[in-house]
Amino acid sequence: MENIIHDIEKFIRFTGFAHMTIGHIIMIIVGLIFIFLAIKKEYEPLLLVPIGFGILIGNMPFFENIGLQLGIYEEGSVLNYLYFGVVKGVYPPLIFLGIGAMTDFSALLSNPKLLLLGAAAQVGIFLTLMAALTLGFTLPQSAAIGIIGGADGPTAIFLASRLAPELIGAIAIAAYSYMALVPLIQPPIIKLLTTKKERLIKMKPPRSVSRREKIIFPIIGLLLTCLISPGGLPLLGMLFFGNILKESGVTKRLSDTASKSLIDIVTILLGLTVGASTQATTFLTPQSIFIFILGAISFMIATAGGVIFAKVMNLFLKGEHKINPMIGAAGVSAVPDSARVVHHMGLKEDSSNYLLMHAMAPNVAGVIGSAVAAGILLSLLLGV
Amino acid sequence: MLNYQAIQDTIKIITDTLVRTTEQNVFNEIKFDISNLINSNGFILTVIGYSVVFLALFLLFIAFKSLTHVITTQTHRKYSKATKIPTDKKELNVIGDVTAAISVALHLHISEIHDFESTIITIKKIQKTYSPWSSKIYGLRQHPKRF
């Protein structure tokens, strides 16, 4: 009889209920909210479903550190092996390969001055870096937090894995959350900074870009950006490699794999493990809350930076060359969500004003800009 | 007998954890201090970092602006040589919408040609010289007659 009771006690001690804390409950609710937003509101479902479910997986309480090898932070566990790709920054370059193979840079090539909007929007990264420093974060941690303003999940994970691995879960979750919330965050800022007249500006349709230009772009892009900021080589190298696979026209099979199967596989692994890394026992700290607040500020500054710079550019442009300042908001690299948001806002103001192609230019420039920013921060901080 | 002690211990662990989590003051570890910004060279890093990002994208802008110019000039020269008609460079800059419209028009035209072709093939008469080997009259579908 005593043995049976002993076994029951043991069973109870090993159930999740025995180890449940308020932290776990909070995180499970967060995971459910992510899943709800993805399914009901369709906010970045390809990211939020894996991350949301990952949060549920990561926050199933269990008896930790007794050799069960279950948790993501326990060496030898399956989740720990999958998490290796996040910690060592393996997944982000593979995601960039897929993005390169999917992206058509012709909107940017037809109007190269829009590249500057992608640079302007990176202001969020650097102002947030300073804000994080004043709050007592170390310089590498501040840089990793600031990159959330680049609105680029893979770049944020890549930089955090190098500079502040202890904050990677919070940074990744913040970056992806704000990317998913682009339709909620950006419109009020855009409206606040632009007049009705500015929002109605119709831009000159983009010219057609020759195949030769499209092939030369990834080569020159790689040479210029990586010579200036070699720290961004894993990201930029893969981005431009993916693009040349697409544009060369002779590697269709490789391009298809990179833009479909490979990116899907890596997104699943990345989303799930990033979600699972939010284990309440290690994730719910005061720092995480500050990272979320700073991330939101960073994102807002980045949006505002792009819009304001577009307005400044308009001071020097005339007639049909003027740009609709709303597309400056797409300078944050949440591809293609921020471009889509700008497009819909343009259609709301004037149903014949199609801004999607124009907004895609600063959007893809933002991807390059945030990768360059990550590279320069990496070089400056790891090189010290 | 039930081991009440073990159950009580388990319950105590759970309640202790709950209390500890709720009592945690999340804001007591981080303090606002502007001197961190100055001491850690954060401001200089910001200026250098942002300038480099701008420089990289500005160089890309210059490179592609020049590339576009070179390619347009080359195309213009080739076109003028081939047609021997003096044309303006701007005329060669076809906007994307025009290309899309031409592509759709061509696609529709080619599809129509295909439909027309198949109609002709359907109604075309083919004359063949008679051969008993291929004649339907002697085919197997005819039932043998009984006498």
Side-chain angles (χ1 to χ4, degrees):
Chain A
M1 185 67 184
E2 209 159 286
N3 278 347
I4 296 168
I5 291 164
H6 181 258
D7 285 346
I8 291 170
E9 283 166 12
K10 201 177 169 188
F11 164 72
I12 290 170
R13 266 190 293 132
F14 273 82
T15 60
F17 296 110
H19 301 274
M20 183 73 87
T21 64
I22 281 192
H24 287 114
I25 296 168
I26 292 170
M27 289 313 297
I28 288 171
I29 292 169
V30 171
L32 292 174
I33 292 171
F34 272 43
I35 295 170
F36 170 78
L37 287 175
I39 298 170
K40 183 80 180 167
K41 301 275 178 188
E42 290 190 27
Y43 291 161
E44 291 269 1
L46 298 181
L47 290 174
L48 287 194
V49 170
I51 292 178
F53 208 83
I55 294 174
L56 299 186
I57 291 174
N59 284 286
M60 288 293 117
F62 57 90
F63 220 138
E64 283 183 51
N65 302 320
I66 55 157
L68 287 178
Q69 295 184 333
L70 295 173
I72 197 159
Y73 296 109
E74 286 186 316
E75 249 180 67
S77 73
V78 176
L79 285 172
N80 186 259
Y81 279 119
L82 297 177
Y83 193 49
F84 179 84
V86 175
V87 177
K88 295 291 170 194
V90 178
Y91 298 146
L94 292 175
I95 295 267
F96 261 63
L97 176 72
I99 293 172
M102 282 195 286
T103 309
D104 183 1
F105 285 94
S106 49
L108 187 67
L109 289 169
S110 73
N111 197 356
K113 65 173 173 287
L114 299 181
L115 268 163
L116 300 177
L117 293 176
Q122 308 312 318
V123 69
I125 294 176
F126 294 98
L127 291 185
T128 311
L129 184 155
M130 292 205 288
L133 272 175
T134 57
L135 286 172
F137 285 98
T138 63
L139 195 52
Q141 283 178 337
S142 304
I145 294 166
I147 205 77
I148 297 170
D152 197 333
T155 308
I157 291 170
F158 178 75
L159 194 67
S161 71
R162 294 284 189 279
L163 296 179
E166 69 280 7
L167 301 180
I168 199 165
I171 289 171
I173 291 288
Y176 278 116
S177 308
Y178 296 131
M179 276 169 70
L181 295 175
V182 162
L184 293 182
I185 298 172
Q186 289 201 315
I189 299 167
I190 297 171
K191 276 205 165 175
L192 193 74
L193 294 171
T194 52
T195 61
K196 174 94 179 162
K197 196 183 164 194
E198 285 173 327
R199 291 197 292 273
L200 286 170
I201 293 177
K202 274 193 179 175
M203 292 175 68
K204 197 178 146 190
R207 69 174 174 86
S208 16
V209 177
S210 65
R211 187 171 166 234
R212 210 185 333 165
E213 280 175 273
K214 286 184 185 176
I215 293 171
I216 294 171
F217 172 75
I219 298 166
I220 294 185
L222 175 76
L223 293 175
L224 270 179
T225 53
C226 290
L227 285 174
I228 292 170
S229 172
L233 186 62
L235 298 175
L236 292 164
M238 292 300 242
L239 177 80
F240 290 123
F241 172 55
N243 192 242
I244 204 164
L245 287 181
K246 173 181 181 282
E247 299 300 351
S248 66
V250 289
T251 50
K252 196 176 173 300
R253 275 171 50 195
L254 301 187
S255 163
D256 282 350
T257 304
S259 63
K260 288 172 189 161
S261 321
L262 184 65
I263 198 167
D264 287 350
I265 292 167
V266 180
T267 304
I268 290 169
L269 295 176
L270 183 74
L272 196 75
T273 47
V274 160
S277 71
T278 60
Q279 207 170 292
T281 43
T282 52
F283 183 76
L284 277 183
T285 62
Q287 282 183 328
S288 299
I289 292 166
F290 274 93
I291 288 168
F292 267 79
I293 296 168
L294 286 166
I297 295 169
S298 183
F299 206 88
M300 289 174 195
I301 297 171
T303 304
V307 175
I308 293 168
F309 193 79
K311 285 169 77 118
V312 173
M313 277 173 80
N314 267 350
L315 297 176
F316 304 95
L317 299 169
K318 280 175 192 165
E320 60 172 10
H321 296 290
K322 276 198 185 289
I323 53 178
N324 189 318
M326 286 201 293
I327 67 164
V332 299
S333 51
V335 180
D337 273 22
S338 50
R340 214 182 294 151
V341 165
V342 171
H343 176 67
H344 286 304
M345 284 188 76
L347 284 179
K348 258 188 192 171
E349 299 289 336
D350 173 0
S351 57
S352 64
N353 197 3
Y354 299 99
L355 290 171
L356 189 63
M357 284 311 284
H358 302 291
M360 274 309 286
N363 214 186
V364 291
V367 175
I368 301 171
S370 57
V372 172
I376 191 71
L377 288 171
L378 207 59
S379 309
L380 291 173
L381 292 171
L382 286 186
V384 175
Chain B
M1 277 292 284
L2 276 168
N3 191 343
Y4 288 112
Q5 190 58 42
I7 297 169
Q8 274 175 349
D9 285 349
T10 312
I11 293 167
K12 195 171 181 303
I13 291 166
I14 296 168
T15 48
D16 282 355
T17 316
L18 290 174
V19 170
R20 213 169 43 243
T21 318
T22 46
E23 278 178 353
Q24 236 180 17
N25 183 1
V26 292
F27 294 102
N28 62 1
E29 281 183 27
I30 291 176
K31 285 165 191 154
F32 185 79
D33 187 1
I34 197 95
S35 64
N36 286 339
L37 183 62
I38 300 146
N39 298 337
S40 60
N41 290 332
F43 185 72
I44 298 165
L45 182 83
T46 298
V47 173
I48 295 173
Y50 194 46
S51 311
V52 171
V53 172
F54 237 101
L55 175 75
L57 291 181
F58 183 73
L59 286 178
L60 267 182
F61 158 61
I62 298 289
F64 288 106
K65 187 99 181 137
S66 320
L67 180 76
T68 308
H69 181 72
V70 171
I71 288 177
T72 316
T73 314
Q74 255 186 3
T75 317
H76 178 247
R77 203 179 298 155
K78 269 187 193 171
Y79 183 78
S80 301
K81 228 182 191 177
T83 58
K84 290 177 183 168
I85 305 165
T87 42
D88 189 11
K89 252 191 211 177
K90 279 183 187 171
E91 281 176 35
L92 293 175
N93 264 347
V94 184
I95 57 169
D97 295 1
V98 175
T99 320
I102 294 170
S103 310
V104 172
L106 277 172
H107 173 73
L108 289 174
H109 178 65
I110 291 164
S111 324
E112 275 174 24
I113 285 173
H114 178 74
D115 285 348
F116 190 56
E117 265 182 357
S118 49
T119 318
I120 294 170
I121 291 164
T122 316
I123 59 169
K124 206 172 180 180
K125 274 189 175 178
I126 299 164
Q127 292 287 337
K128 277 185 180 173
T129 46
Y130 174 77
S131 158
W133 292 104
S134 64
S135 172
K136 282 179 186 171
I137 303 167
Y138 305 110
L140 285 173
R141 276 187 295 173
Q142 281 205 348
H143 293 285
K145 280 179 185 172
R146 283 186 186 179
F147 295 101

